[in-house]
Amino acid sequence: MSSERVLNVGRKSLDDYIVEVILMFQEGSERVVLKGVGPYISRAVDLYNALVSRMGDSVELVKVGIGSERIKGRMKPFIAIEIRKKY
């Protein structure tokens, strides 16, 4: 299994994303990157906060990255929140 997976945050409900993250951890991923682009930046932050409130001390913030990337010819801001599950 890969040790790091990227979850692109979009329109789905936060509960759907929480289930996806939990499944990624159960499948053996050591780290998960929550990535929000453009209008979904705040949603990625909301997802992180929901995970912390749901999973408590079993999830740990590794690092947060911000920047811009070219998507369809336009520069779009993004946030990448890297978390890991504590065992």
Side-chain angles (χ1 to χ4, degrees):
M1 286 290 154
S2 67
S3 61
E4 180 178 286
R5 306 252 315 256
V6 176
L7 178 65
N8 291 305
V9 178
R11 294 188 175 136
K12 287 196 257 179
S13 74
L14 287 180
D15 285 337
D16 287 346
Y17 287 118
I18 289 170
V19 169
E20 279 190 58
V21 170
I22 291 169
L23 286 174
M24 286 178 181
F25 283 138
Q26 287 177 347
E27 290 169 356
S29 297
E30 293 173 21
R31 295 168 189 245
V32 174
V33 177
L34 312 174
K35 186 172 184 183
V37 179
Y40 300 113
I41 289 173
S42 62
R43 197 149 174 79
V45 174
D46 291 343
L47 174 58
Y48 169 74
N49 289 328
L51 280 165
V52 169
S53 70
R54 176 85 50 101
M55 298 175 72
D57 288 338
S58 65
V59 69
E60 177 182 51
L61 178 65
V62 176
K63 68 180 176 184
V64 177
I66 57 171
S68 297
E69 61 187 9
R70 188 170 298 278
I71 300 174
K72 296 181 183 173
R74 305 183 99 184
M75 293 302 286
K76 298 259 187 168
F78 72 87
I79 189 168
I81 304 167
E82 187 175 333
I83 58 173
R84 74 178 183 93
K85 185 176 181 184
K86 291 187 202 171
Y87 293 100

